[in-house]
Amino acid sequence: MFSRLCLSALLALGVLSPLHAATNEGQLAEQQLRHIATYFPGRMAGSPAEMLNADYLQQQFQQWGYESNKRDFTAHYHYKSQDGRVSDRSVIATSVIAARAGEVPQQIVILAQADTWLPLSDSDRQKNRGGLTLQGADDNASGVAVMLELAERLQSTPLHYSLRFVALSASALHGEEDYLARMKPEEKKNTLLVIKLNDLLVGNRLWFNSGTNTPEPVARQTRDRALALARSAHIPAATLGKAVKNEPAVETFDKAGIPLLSVRAANWDKKGHRVHTSNAHFPQGSCQQQASCDNLAWIDRWLPGRITHRTRDSVKILLPLIRELANPQPEA
């Protein structure tokens, strides 16, 4: 009842209406990022905000002509109380999946975590980690927003390989494992690449990393090609090579033998160690799970122009990359 009433009210206010079409690269992504962070804070797995966000994302995909559906699944987790007791809990999480068929069944998956951090302990709540006020502008409205602009711009592009966009919920609660478990063996075999978009704002530069088990020819076509596109556009970008160990959230697909390209902004050195920044407001180059700083007002104040520049840069690299991958040219 709550969800239906809220949905009706938001529709009446125009919150779920389509945003204005954008002409410049990154413009729609910035609009989407600000829209999601503003209207769907606290979109934790199983929350009303998450359900409303899923409705909104599905509406966006459908208006661009994608076959889109919502997928519910049960996510289990342990919650630690202040007295040390650990209890088993569960939530019904909702992911959104959209697809366009190509000439062949092989597919490229673009995936982004759509929910915000769900407190896993009394300590999390006391430290304001996650919760109802977390806008999650960086983690991960940024990844979802860039994914949405890519979907909008690719809606009429002729495809040789199919495209699938996944706004995944409960990523920290084994959501990726659930998604992988539901893939049929033939679908796993036909998945040529997973592109994972996460935390694209606060880090000092974009990093393009391949999975440990990604074949080197695929890494050259994806990771190295992305870096070449970044250089040609004078966009700061780097790679750790095949460095899934630095990104535990992306291990699921790599362990399954599915080629992977991870895209995220981070403050790393060339060995993958986190480095401090000169910005006292983001000393670790990250603001994950913190409602006090992972919000539009804080990022706009202390990283002025970052949202505009990073959404533009992300689309400027990823759009031509995906177009090339979805429509490979025959070798001379």
Side-chain angles (χ1 to χ4, degrees):
M1 177 63 72
F2 179 86
S3 178
R4 288 198 298 271
L5 290 173
C6 283
L7 180 57
S8 299
L10 290 173
L11 285 169
L13 291 171
V15 173
L16 299 187
S17 61
L19 299 182
H20 295 297
T23 54
N24 299 325
E25 290 167 322
Q27 185 178 347
L28 178 62
E30 180 174 357
Q31 291 176 4
Q32 295 283 5
L33 190 161
R34 293 183 181 279
H35 189 88
I36 291 168
T38 299
Y39 288 107
F40 309 114
R43 50 191 182 279
M44 303 169 288
S47 68
E50 183 222 28
M51 290 186 286
L52 293 170
N53 185 50
D55 288 334
Y56 173 74
L57 296 178
Q58 184 179 40
Q59 182 200 48
Q60 297 297 286
F61 286 124
Q62 288 178 340
Q63 74 164 331
W64 297 325
Y66 289 87
E67 293 185 12
S68 180
N69 63 81
K70 291 181 292 185
R71 177 182 292 176
D72 294 339
F73 63 97
T74 303
H76 302 275
Y77 66 100
H78 300 299
Y79 187 91
K80 187 175 182 179
S81 301
Q82 195 165 7
D83 59 8
R85 289 184 296 112
V86 176
S87 57
D88 294 328
R89 298 188 180 184
S90 63
V91 294
I92 305 298
T94 304
S95 298
V96 179
I97 301 169
R100 268 193 66 211
E103 298 172 346
V104 296
Q106 285 80 17
Q107 67 175 0
I108 297 168
V109 176
I110 298 95
L111 182 146
Q113 170 196 336
D115 60 321
T116 53
W117 181 256
L118 175 69
L120 301 179
S121 65
D122 287 344
S123 176
D124 277 358
R125 297 184 185 279
Q126 292 165 0
K127 294 177 181 178
N128 204 22
R129 294 181 63 196
L132 297 173
T133 62
L134 175 59
Q135 285 192 338
D138 183 31
D139 183 22
N140 185 38
S142 62
V144 173
V146 168
M147 180 176 70
L148 288 173
E149 177 161 340
L150 293 172
E152 191 274 337
R153 290 185 178 272
L154 292 165
Q155 62 181 302
S156 57
T157 299
L159 299 177
H160 180 69
Y161 296 126
S162 301
L163 290 180
R164 183 174 294 264
F165 295 90
V166 180
L168 187 72
S169 186
S171 182
L173 305 179
H174 309 292
E176 291 179 359
E177 289 89 336
D178 179 89
Y179 179 80
L180 185 66
R182 295 191 187 205
M183 294 175 71
K184 297 178 180 179
E186 192 67 18
E187 185 182 359
K188 293 179 183 178
K189 180 181 177 182
N190 285 333
T191 300
L192 304 177
L193 178 71
V194 172
I195 301 175
K196 177 98 181 262
L197 309 177
N198 255 344
D199 306 355
L200 300 177
L201 299 180
V202 173
N204 63 354
R205 67 179 61 200
L206 290 170
W207 292 78
F208 296 85
N209 300 323
S210 297
T212 303
N213 297 310
T214 298
E216 193 56 35
V218 177
R220 288 196 297 268
Q221 288 180 302
T222 56
R223 178 197 66 210
D224 295 350
R225 178 58 178 151
L227 293 172
L229 289 166
R231 285 194 298 270
S232 67
H234 307 289
I235 297 170
T239 184
L240 298 175
K242 296 183 176 182
V244 173
K245 63 182 180 181
N246 293 286
E247 302 178 73
V250 302
E251 287 186 352
T252 302
F253 297 102
D254 185 60
K255 287 181 178 179
I258 296 175
L260 176 70
L261 175 66
S262 169
V263 184
R264 72 185 309 145
N267 280 50
W268 290 326
D269 61 21
K270 287 295 184 179
K271 294 183 179 180
H273 301 136
R274 188 178 296 277
V275 295
H276 288 266
T277 74
S278 58
N279 190 328
H281 306 285
F282 301 95
Q284 299 295 325
S286 173
C287 208
Q288 286 183 324
Q289 305 164 10
Q290 302 295 324
S292 60
C293 59
D294 192 0
N295 62 72
L296 297 173
W298 189 267
I299 294 172
D300 282 336
R301 180 179 182 183
W302 301 113
L303 293 173
R306 175 63 62 85
I307 293 177
T308 299
H309 295 153
R310 196 54 65 71
T311 49
R312 178 199 62 200
D313 291 350
S314 299
V315 173
K316 210 164 190 176
I317 297 169
L318 290 167
L319 183 61
L321 176 67
I322 295 172
R323 280 177 172 158
E324 291 177 9
L325 295 173
N327 290 288
Q329 299 299 312
E331 294 184 10

